[in-house]
Amino acid sequence: MGILTQLEIENFKSYKGKQIIGPFKRFTAIIGPNGSGKSNLMDAICFVLGEKTSNLRVRSVKNLIHGAPIHKPVSNKAQVTAVYTEEDETEIRFTRCIVGSGTEYRINNKVIDKTIQYQEKLENLGISIKARNFLVFQGTVESIALKTPKERTQLFEQISGSGELQQDYLQTKSDMQSSEEDTTFHMHKKKGISAERRAAKAEKEEADKYLNVKDDLSTAQVHYQLFKLLYNEKKIENLSLTLDKKEKEVAKMESRCSNIEQQLRSKKQESAKVSREIAVLDKKIQEKEAEAIILRPQYIKAKEKSLHLKKRIDGLKYVP
Ligand code: ATP
Ligand code: MG
């Protein structure tokens, strides 16, 4: 961090003509009797940093010119240059001049069109007159000591520059709270979605399982039908073979049957023939019986005669 190394004051307040004050060290004390111009030096620093006139203990900017309060200005212009030396020894010269009733700013003797650019350059070095974080005016220590805790907090906020950020801080805090609420909401939503996703995954797995089982069932049914078909084909084959065998047996039976019928017919014919012959023989027997009936008496007679003859023969026994 650099430091203020020198002040070049020209016709500013109690400093008449061109006065070079410095070089300043990192710690420099300025001492002097009352009214010797110590506070005017502070005013010169404030002036060159862009402080508004009312804070420089004068009514108008013109009164800052040496001799003006007693209506005897030594010049119509006054200026203050602050020499700022950076760590690498680079010097930056900030100048503020009183020109007429206004002021003009220069950086390294180059006129700056817009005051804001001059302030930005200072702020880039960490110097902000608005923050009042480096200038302690006369009576300030006493007034700080008399402040209430709340006022002191406000002062620290002003000095640290955090006061300017209060609005941003509150806005950011509110944004953060709403972001946290959003995050919580989205977390819950995410949890819900995760649970839904898990349930959907489980359902999908179950559906996949069902489809797999269905596929397995279809395959098993196809296998079953194929087996059934194969079994039926085998059965048909076996039945065909059995049918062939049976047909052959039937043909054999039919052939045997026709032979038997043939034989039956011939036997019937033979039987008819025999019946006829029997009838003829019966007729002959009847005729012979009738004949026998007729001849019986003759037979009995003949038999008796035979017996008689025999007896005679027996009576006529041979006697030698
Ligand atoms: P103290 O120790 O009392 O605080 P100081 O050293 O801070 O004193 P300053 O306030 O810096 O003193 O100086 C005050 C003196 O500066 C007064 O005498 C006043 O007349 C003089 N002064 C202020 N403005 C001008 C001006 N425009 N032209 C000439 N002299 C001025
Ligand atoms: Mg003083």
Side-chain angles (χ1 to χ4, degrees):
M1 188 187 279
I3 56 167
L4 174 68
T5 46
Q6 188 166 280
L7 275 173
E8 295 171 12
I9 302 174
E10 196 174 335
N11 297 327
F12 184 84
K13 281 206 160 184
S14 56
Y15 296 89
K16 189 182 175 187
K18 190 169 180 178
Q19 312 254 5
I20 293 176
I21 302 163
F24 300 125
K25 305 264 182 213
R26 283 205 174 266
F27 182 84
T28 302
I30 295 168
I31 56 169
N34 296 128
S36 60
K38 305 184 289 295
S39 291
N40 287 344
L41 210 57
M42 282 282 279
D43 290 342
I45 295 170
C46 289
F47 173 74
V48 77
L49 295 179
E51 183 61 286
K52 53 186 178 185
T53 319
S54 58
N55 288 338
L56 299 173
R57 301 183 297 160
V58 284
R59 279 195 188 152
S60 75
V61 76
K62 276 188 173 178
N63 280 346
L64 291 169
I65 299 170
H66 182 74
I70 52 163
H71 307 291
K72 287 181 182 169
V74 291
S75 168
N76 61 354
K77 67 176 254 202
Q79 69 173 43
V80 178
T81 297
V83 182
Y84 181 84
T85 308
E86 293 191 284
E87 274 185 10
D88 62 357
E89 302 295 319
T90 312
E91 283 188 354
I92 307 171
R93 295 173 62 83
F94 293 93
T95 306
R96 185 180 177 185
C97 302
I98 297 166
V99 181
S101 57
T103 59
E104 181 187 271
Y105 294 94
R106 286 186 225 137
I107 294 175
N108 293 330
N109 297 322
K110 196 178 160 202
V111 176
I112 303 299
D113 295 335
K114 291 182 180 170
T115 315
I116 192 132
Q117 289 173 340
Y118 185 86
Q119 281 168 354
E120 273 174 9
K121 181 78 177 169
L122 285 168
E123 279 170 18
N124 287 341
L125 297 170
I127 303 162
S128 170
I129 194 76
K130 280 184 247 159
R132 298 197 168 276
N133 54 0
F134 57 97
L135 295 168
V136 181
F137 292 92
Q138 197 160 332
T140 306
V141 173
E142 192 185 351
S143 91
I144 290 172
L146 294 171
K147 277 185 193 299
T148 63
K150 197 174 176 184
E151 287 168 340
R152 211 167 293 136
T153 304
Q154 280 173 349
L155 176 77
F156 286 133
E157 281 178 353
Q158 187 191 8
I159 291 169
S160 65
S162 69
E164 283 178 26
L165 300 171
Q166 191 180 20
Q167 212 44 44
D168 283 353
Y169 170 77
L170 291 173
Q171 184 58 44
T172 309
K173 196 177 173 186
S174 141
D175 289 351
M176 191 186 82
Q177 277 167 351
S178 66
S179 293
E180 277 173 357
E181 280 166 15
D182 280 358
T183 307
T184 313
F185 172 75
H186 286 115
M187 281 282 284
H188 286 304
K189 204 171 167 186
K190 195 186 158 197
K191 271 185 192 171
I193 289 168
S194 294
E196 277 176 25
R197 206 174 138 192
R198 274 200 298 278
K201 201 179 164 190
E203 271 179 30
K204 192 183 172 284
E205 277 171 6
E206 207 170 320
D208 286 348
K209 213 169 153 187
Y210 169 75
L211 288 175
N212 284 340
V213 170
K214 207 175 161 189
D215 278 356
D216 289 351
L217 179 68
S218 298
T219 312
Q221 277 174 340
V222 168
H223 283 170
Y224 171 69
Q225 294 300 337
L226 285 171
F227 271 121
K228 226 169 145 184
L229 210 60
L230 188 71
Y231 173 74
N232 283 342
E233 275 177 4
K234 288 273 176 204
K235 210 171 164 186
I236 288 166
E237 218 171 275
N238 285 341
L239 286 172
S240 296
L241 285 173
T242 313
L243 189 66
D244 281 355
K245 215 169 149 188
K246 293 286 177 194
E247 276 175 354
K248 275 177 193 163
E249 278 176 17
V250 167
K252 218 169 157 183
M253 291 287 208
E254 277 175 352
S255 150
R256 272 176 70 192
C257 194
S258 76
N259 280 344
I260 287 167
E261 277 176 350
Q262 190 69 34
Q263 281 177 8
L264 187 66
R265 272 197 301 276
S266 71
K267 290 292 177 193
K268 272 185 180 171
Q269 281 173 358
E270 272 177 34
S271 167
K273 198 178 166 189
V274 169
S275 295
R276 279 197 305 275
E277 282 174 5
I278 288 169
V280 170
L281 286 173
D282 279 347
K283 200 176 175 185
K284 272 185 184 175
I285 288 166
Q286 281 174 356
E287 281 172 5
K288 288 298 174 186
E289 278 177 350
E291 214 173 302
I293 290 166
I294 295 166
L295 287 173
R296 195 160 181 96
Q298 286 181 9
Y299 166 71
I300 293 165
K301 214 170 170 179
K303 202 175 174 182
E304 281 174 357
K305 197 176 178 182
S306 167
L307 280 168
H308 177 69
L309 281 170
K310 202 176 171 185
K311 276 176 187 174
R312 267 183 74 181
I313 287 162
D314 288 341
L316 288 173
K317 271 187 186 178
Y318 177 67
V319 183

